[in-house]
Amino acid sequence: MGMKTEHRTVQLDQAGLDRVIRVGVLGFGGLGQAAARMLAPKQEMRLVAAADREGYAYAAEGLNPDACIATYRSRGTLGYLEQNGVLSPNSIEALMQQADRVDGYFLALPNLPNTFMADVARRFIASGWQGVLVDALKRTSAVEQLLVLRDELQAAGITYLTGCGATPGLLTAAAALAAQSYAEVHSVKITFGVGIANWEAYRATIREDIAHLPGFTVDRAQQMTDAEVEALLDQTNGILALENMEHADDIMLELAGICGRDRVTVGGVVDTRNPKKPLSTNVQITGRTFEGKISTHTFTLGDETSMAANVCGPAFGYLKAGLSLHRRGIYGLLTAAEVMPQFVR
Ligand code: NAD
């Protein structure tokens, strides 16, 4: 027995940890920069590639996250990074051509238009690259576009994990776990509170949230100028209150066989002028046990944890899990509700 256990441990280590995982981050705004900072102290992962709209940086031996962030903030693009920066209007393609040694990418890109992430996935498929892709997509319709690519991802040797942020992501996975107590899941209710000091730090997140307000669409929110976004936020004192959002937690829980998508609801409050959360982010999972009792499990995030911590942490946890699947020959499309994330040391 002892021998067997030991052997299994070694196999698992070989599947995921025989060397440092080389990570790329596409999109270097609020989440992309937080992702770079999060990777800095990690032993198992190293930032080797990053891209924004106007340029990219690549170094197989590793990029300095602080230098990347400083360059992006002072000059507007990673393309000006000393030694490793390249200016390019097609930064993702250009990076793909140059970066031959990236194990996995976190796609911290805006999904504007709503087809953008699926387009990026198609470009990876066409490039011949093999590895792990992880996104923090939010809309059900965006995840549906990736589902169409399932077979192509599989054939290309790409393990794509979708919906791996906070919601969808951490909270969806918590719902999948909580469901195990029940014979039938009646409802999954996600309520999030986000506090950020200023909306400019997360422009895409805020635009995509505005797109959920009554009377708005993704296209309309994408076309709004920064001044128009500010004018809208002025009217609401910086608060966005969101109800019955089109959030992919529903399709992810349905695909995982946990409950129909009509039983999943998502809403929340975003304060764009105060880093303090306006309410505690939580998911309530109500169901019936095998004995016939109706009960509710509640999973509440600590108020001190930021959106960035709750998105980027799971994203890399799923990237690590995705890599161990990839090394075992498991490709295609998976969601955060199907796979357990692995803790990145
Ligand atoms: P942001 O606006 O702060 O930054 C976007 C970055 O992407 C910028 O660096 C920009 O230069 C870059 N970019 C834009 N177009 C590009 C292109 N064509 N090629 C290369 N780079 C490009 O964005 P953000 O607020 O960090 O949000 C990123 C995404 O994360 C959004 O889609 C948002 O909805 C999502 N998000 C998900 C969750 C979740 O819990 N699932 C939570 C928050 C945000």
Side-chain angles (χ1 to χ4, degrees), residues 71-307:
T71 303
Y72 184 86
R73 291 198 178 162
S74 61
R75 312 212 45 198
T77 169
L78 292 157
Y80 290 112
L81 187 71
E82 259 180 54
Q83 289 180 355
N84 303 310
V86 179
L87 291 167
S88 166
N90 294 311
S91 57
I92 297 177
E93 260 91 2
L95 174 63
M96 275 183 203
Q97 276 170 19
Q98 201 202 323
D100 50 352
R101 295 177 63 203
V102 182
D103 297 308
Y105 287 92
F106 171 31
L107 309 177
L109 295 160
N111 194 36
L112 297 168
N114 196 37
T115 50
F116 187 60
M117 210 65 81
D119 283 345
V120 171
R122 272 190 215 96
R123 289 186 231 169
F124 271 103
I125 292 168
S127 77
W129 174 83
Q130 298 196 327
V132 181
L133 297 174
V134 172
D135 71 39
L137 270 186
K138 294 212 274 201
R139 282 192 177 255
T140 309
S141 51
V143 169
E144 279 168 341
Q145 294 165 39
L146 286 169
L147 280 172
V148 175
L149 298 176
R150 183 179 262 178
D151 293 345
E152 286 176 59
L153 288 164
Q154 165 110 36
I158 294 172
T159 306
Y160 192 124
L161 286 132
T162 189
C164 298
T167 168
L170 184 58
L171 297 178
T172 336
L177 195 58
Q180 309 306 321
S181 299
Y182 303 126
E184 189 191 2
V185 173
H186 292 161
S187 70
V188 175
K189 185 169 187 246
I190 291 172
T191 311
F192 63 81
V194 169
I196 52 177
N198 61 81
W199 84 276
E200 287 100 335
Y202 293 96
R203 283 174 212 258
T205 302
I206 298 307
R207 275 207 173 74
E208 289 177 41
D209 281 342
I210 288 173
H212 288 276
L213 293 173
F216 285 82
T217 61
V218 176
D219 288 342
R220 181 158 171 220
Q222 183 183 5
Q223 277 153 24
M224 284 170 82
T225 63
D226 285 0
E228 283 169 338
V229 172
E230 263 152 42
L232 178 100
L233 293 173
D234 273 342
Q235 283 170 26
T236 63
N237 210 10
I239 304 277
L240 295 173
L242 303 153
E243 285 178 345
N244 283 321
M245 300 170 79
E246 184 213 311
H247 245 233
D249 308 81
D250 63 357
I251 189 172
M252 288 161 61
L253 290 169
E254 186 172 280
L255 284 169
I258 288 162
C259 62
R261 66 179 83 182
D262 54 319
R263 297 187 176 192
V264 182
T265 51
V266 182
V269 178
V270 182
D271 189 342
T272 59
R273 295 182 180 171
N274 189 347
K276 193 173 175 304
K277 284 188 195 184
L279 57 89
S280 299
T281 297
N282 68 86
V283 53
Q284 294 185 300
I285 305 95
T286 300
R288 178 179 47 78
T289 70
F290 76 102
E291 305 105 325
K293 297 266 193 250
I294 308 288
S295 188
T296 299
H297 284 331
T298 304
F299 175 65
T300 307
L301 303 186
D303 288 339
E304 300 78 11
T305 60
S306 61
M307 176 174 79

